[in-house]
Amino acid sequence: MFSAINDAAFLAARDAVRTGDTARLGKAVAALPVDYVLRPWADYWQLQQQLAEDDDNGIAPFLQTHEGSYLAEKLRDDWLHFLGKKSDWVRFQREFSLLSQPDIALTCYAAQAAGTPQKVRTLWLSSQELPAACMPLVDQLVATGDLTVEEIWQRVRLMLAAGKVGAGRTAAAYLRPEQSFEHGSLEAIAVDPNCYFKRLPPSFAATRRGREMALFALQTLARNDLLAAAARLRSLEEKLPSADTHYAWGQLARLAAGRHLPEALVWYDLAAETPLDEEQTAWQVRAALRAHDWGRVQRVIAAMPAEWAQRPEWIYWQARALTTLGQAEKANALFLRIAGQPNFYGQLASEEMGWTVRLPLQAPPPSPEEIAAGEAHPGLQRALELFRLNMRVEGVREWNWSLRNMNDRALLAAADLARRHAVWDRAISSADRTQDAHNFSLRYLAPYYDQVTSETDAQGVDTAWVYGLMRQESRFVTQANSAVGAKGLMQVMPATARWVAKKIKLANFHPHQMSDIETNVRLGVSYLKLVLESLDKLPVLASAAYNAGPGRARRWRGDQPLEGAIYAETIPLTETRDYVKKVMSNTMYYHLLFNSTPQSLKARLGIVQPAGARDVVDTAVQDLP
């Protein structure tokens, strides 16, 4: 039974933490009963505040009482940072072994505690920025000569290529003064690379510093004017060592592929002798797909490290390439590796094998004992209370942590528990994790069915597709608000909502109505229909437009017809690329659940026609936001 008094005290404790009011926090915590379900959170906040005041009394007993919980992991993480800063290595090592998911700073503190500075080498040679906890290890390697000048330059190059000027300068500080960069020189290049090139001395390539500055300037220029950067590189090729030239072409090729420029594959050929990172390699495959260069698709994927090549997308496209090249037996062996997987490429691979995509056999419902175990789970109890108090961020973290190490039966019981409490996103998330026992009715929940179908039926829009999109947009959280301001089930942007409301003559519309289920669905479905009609009635294009805007969706078409799957895989924005594939995959399962008849994903994706005469858009939708 809920207690308004206890809830008020708990929320007062939360507010006191947010404002840093230690006295109010203590008073609020003291007012909570020891057996109040969310009391551990209040105790955690109080201990966290103590740590901020350099006091770690009471932490060990809390960890012992709540061992294995999300809050124990979080407090131990906080405590380890506290101990690491104090170089209290005895207690640090004892507690570190009990932490499940250490961050980079704690990993570096652990290396300091163990006296193993070499542990930082992998981090140094990655594109990650290093926290202060890692720098004493770097200092040790430099002092002993175990970090070479070449490795220092490697990190400088990595950081500058990623546009992280500050991190690049930090790395360069380990070089001798005469080797490093002059004050403000990198920052000036970042602001105006053309100005740098105008003043480029003829002898710039005589030093490593000069060459790295030129490469950084090329990369900076390329972000705004790729063809100008390529022309500049050609003018410098005779002065640069071949390894640097190949490296630069590799950087430009990646950018060209992401912008769908025809020069991309030529530039990849010019970079043939430089090692390509995973992102560069992926985009060489994507550029080859758009060019229908199946031989290159096959060669590039075949040359990938095993870790990259095992991803479903590359298994599928390698198989497709082999099919086109007349190697059907090898292709089918690859298709078989992913066919049946419940994802975009698993579905496409199933179709290539001639299989019908169907729902897996549904697992028996949770038993009374399994239901009781889920309801009694302390972490799930706390999560449900947090959701009830509209503390979604904390509730999601508590819930997700509680699912760790659950078997399929326990996951399905947790999913059913969330469904019964109308916490749709956690029901889906829990059911999504099962490995062998599945319930796709929980994985692909369809709440608000009457409100949604009344709108989709009225407008003639595919209900399965709308649900596939909503599942990806909001997981059916009606109060969902994105970082950019999108709201509600269909995550409609305020400006889009106003535009659609005007277009469909929705009387007396006010932005606060976007949280209303029926209004949100009406606006979202209306916009989706308008987008669909303006983009050849292809859901793959309309899905991309819904996420990234109609203008981008149009620009991403090719100069020749593209399979819908190739269009989806070559979307430049990672978020939109993943979004479109998931929406289309979701749609297949919703169609099965709603109609009990399979469809072809490949047919649903269709063929995306090139830009041209088809771009003449009805005046009613040509100003689509």
Side-chain angles (χ1 to χ4, degrees):
M1 182 177 291
F2 306 137
S3 166
I5 295 175
N6 292 341
D7 288 350
F10 178 74
L11 294 173
R14 179 200 62 183
D15 294 341
V17 170
R18 292 176 175 175
T19 59
D21 190 335
T22 305
R24 186 184 174 206
L25 173 61
K27 183 178 179 180
V29 173
L32 288 170
V34 174
D35 61 352
Y36 176 61
V37 68
L38 291 177
R39 175 62 188 261
W41 273 85
D43 291 337
Y44 163 73
W45 289 331
Q46 196 164 34
L47 290 168
Q48 189 183 43
Q49 186 65 41
Q50 285 181 209
L51 275 179
E53 297 171 356
D54 207 28
D55 177 5
D56 63 354
N57 287 318
I59 289 181
F62 181 95
L63 294 177
Q64 185 174 7
T65 301
H66 301 286
E67 192 60 56
S69 70
Y70 167 72
L71 289 172
E73 174 80 0
K74 189 161 175 55
L75 184 60
R76 181 171 279 117
D77 182 280
D78 295 337
W79 194 23
L80 284 165
H81 280 92
F82 173 87
L83 296 172
K85 289 176 183 177
K86 289 182 170 297
S87 301
D88 186 343
W89 301 130
V90 173
R91 289 199 294 171
F92 181 94
Q93 288 184 300
R94 184 186 67 216
E95 295 300 326
F96 183 76
S97 64
L98 301 174
L99 191 72
S100 297
Q101 299 174 350
D103 60 18
I104 294 176
L106 290 182
T107 300
C108 286
Y109 278 138
Q112 287 190 52
T116 54
Q118 289 287 348
K119 291 282 183 70
V120 82
R121 182 182 297 279
T122 301
L123 294 171
W124 177 262
L125 295 176
S126 75
S127 58
Q128 298 181 79
E129 293 196 51
L130 299 183
C134 298
M135 302 320 293
L137 301 171
V138 177
D139 294 341
Q140 289 182 56
L141 293 183
V142 172
T144 58
D146 289 322
L147 194 68
T148 66
V149 171
E150 177 57 31
E151 287 172 324
I152 294 171
W153 276 117
Q154 285 180 37
R155 181 160 180 84
V156 170
R157 178 176 284 189
L158 278 169
M159 294 300 100
L160 295 183
K164 300 174 180 177
V165 176
R169 186 171 289 286
T170 298
Y174 287 101
L175 297 165
R176 294 197 305 271
E178 66 273 15
Q179 292 179 308
S180 193
F181 303 104
E182 296 178 1
H183 178 72
S185 58
L186 295 177
E187 291 77 6
I189 291 173
V191 171
D192 189 351
N194 279 313
C195 182
Y196 163 81
F197 281 123
K198 289 176 183 177
R199 301 175 181 177
L200 186 66
S203 61
F204 79 95
T207 65
R208 181 67 182 265
R209 175 176 62 189
R211 296 193 296 274
E212 295 298 336
M213 289 177 69
L215 292 173
F216 176 50
L218 283 168
Q219 292 162 348
T220 305
L221 177 60
R223 293 188 184 102
N224 293 318
D225 192 339
L226 191 47
L227 295 179
R232 179 68 66 177
L233 176 55
R234 290 190 186 94
S235 72
L236 301 178
E237 280 184 307
E238 292 184 359
K239 296 182 179 180
L240 288 169
S242 59
D244 288 350
T245 300
H246 296 154
Y247 166 80
W249 282 119
Q251 296 293 309
L252 300 193
R254 158 64 187 92
L255 290 173
R259 298 176 192 177
H260 301 156
L261 296 183
E263 293 85 354
L265 293 178
V266 174
W267 294 354
Y268 270 114
D269 288 339
L270 295 174
E273 296 180 30
T274 196
L276 300 179
D277 63 25
E278 186 173 5
E279 188 73 1
Q280 289 172 305
T281 303
W283 274 102
Q284 182 170 191
V285 176
R286 292 179 183 128
L289 285 171
R290 291 181 71 89
H292 297 161
D293 186 346
W294 293 103
R296 187 188 292 253
V297 170
Q298 192 278 327
R299 290 194 305 274
V300 175
I301 298 176
M304 284 181 177
E307 179 185 358
W308 305 351
Q310 298 312 306
R311 304 191 192 287
E313 58 266 37
W314 306 139
I315 292 174
Y316 176 80
W317 290 117
Q318 174 78 314
R320 285 289 309 279
L322 290 169
T323 299
T324 305
L325 297 172
Q327 301 180 50
E329 188 173 344
K330 290 182 179 180
N332 287 341
L334 289 173
F335 286 133
L336 278 171
R337 288 173 57 186
I338 59 172
Q341 290 183 6
N343 56 48
F344 184 79
Y345 282 113
Q347 292 165 337
L348 286 173
S350 294
E351 289 190 32
E352 294 293 339
M353 296 300 298
W355 302 353
T356 299
V357 177
R358 294 190 178 276
L359 298 173
L361 184 67
Q362 183 159 309
S367 67
E369 294 77 15
E370 290 167 338
I371 290 173
E375 291 174 339
H377 191 291
L380 298 183
Q381 287 182 346
R382 287 192 294 269
L384 289 175
E385 286 298 290
L386 290 164
F387 289 129
R388 182 177 65 82
L389 295 174
N390 293 319
M391 296 176 63
R392 282 201 54 82
V393 172
E394 295 85 351
V396 167
R397 291 172 180 170
E398 184 83 73
W399 187 278
N400 288 349
W401 181 266
S402 298
L403 300 185
R404 295 170 65 254
N405 304 319
M406 282 189 180
N407 61 29
D408 283 358
R409 297 302 305 171
L411 288 169
L412 290 177
D416 184 69
L417 176 65
R419 178 192 61 78
R420 285 184 280 118
H421 284 266
V423 187
W424 313 119
D425 62 320
R426 292 310 93 197
I428 292 168
S429 174
S430 304
D432 245 346
R433 295 177 180 234
T434 59
Q435 298 297 310
D436 299 305
H438 304 302
N439 184 333
F440 271 46
S441 294
L442 286 171
R443 280 198 188 193
Y444 295 90
L445 282 169
Y448 316 113
Y449 187 78
D450 289 343
Q451 295 98 316
V452 173
T453 54
S454 68
E455 199 62 50
T456 55
D457 290 349
Q459 300 207 42
V461 178
D462 182 8
T463 303
W465 178 42
V466 171
Y467 265 101
L469 184 141
M470 281 196 296
R471 184 183 189 271
Q472 198 59 34
E473 284 286 352
S474 67
R475 284 293 199 271
F476 310 109
V477 177
T478 58
Q479 300 302 316
N481 295 315
S482 77
V484 295
K487 295 182 182 295
L489 285 176
M490 297 195 69
Q491 289 291 277
V492 184
M493 293 290 290
T496 302
R498 289 191 294 271
W499 183 89
V500 175
K502 182 178 179 181
K503 187 69 65 175
I504 65 175
K505 297 179 171 56
L506 182 60
N508 302 316
F509 172 74
H510 191 278
H512 70 75
Q513 293 175 272
M514 291 168 64
S515 296
D516 173 71
I517 293 172
E518 292 184 359
T519 303
N520 190 277
V521 170
R522 185 177 182 189
L523 292 170
V525 172
S526 297
Y527 179 68
L528 201 53
K529 181 180 181 180
L530 290 168
V531 168
L532 182 67
E533 290 177 345
S534 75
L535 289 167
D536 302 345
K537 297 186 178 180
L538 282 179
V540 67
L541 282 172
S543 298
Y546 198 89
N547 182 263
R552 284 173 170 161
R554 291 190 188 98
R555 288 196 299 273
W556 293 338
R557 293 175 298 182
D559 54 9
Q560 58 183 318
L562 294 176
E563 292 180 33
I566 292 178
Y567 175 89
E569 182 56 52
T570 60
I571 289 173
L573 301 180
T574 301
E575 177 193 328
T576 306
R577 183 168 63 251
D578 293 343
Y579 171 92
V580 169
K581 289 189 283 189
K582 288 174 181 174
V583 167
M584 299 308 298
S585 176
N586 293 346
T587 301
M588 298 294 290
Y589 290 120
Y590 277 114
H591 179 86
L592 280 168
L593 287 166
F594 295 160
N595 302 286
S596 301
T597 56
Q599 274 192 334
S600 163
L601 174 57
K602 198 168 184 178
R604 184 180 277 271
L605 290 168
I607 300 296
V608 177
Q609 296 298 328
R614 302 174 70 91
D615 280 343
V616 177
V617 180
D618 190 289
T619 55
V621 295
Q622 63 186 194
D623 59 340
L624 274 165

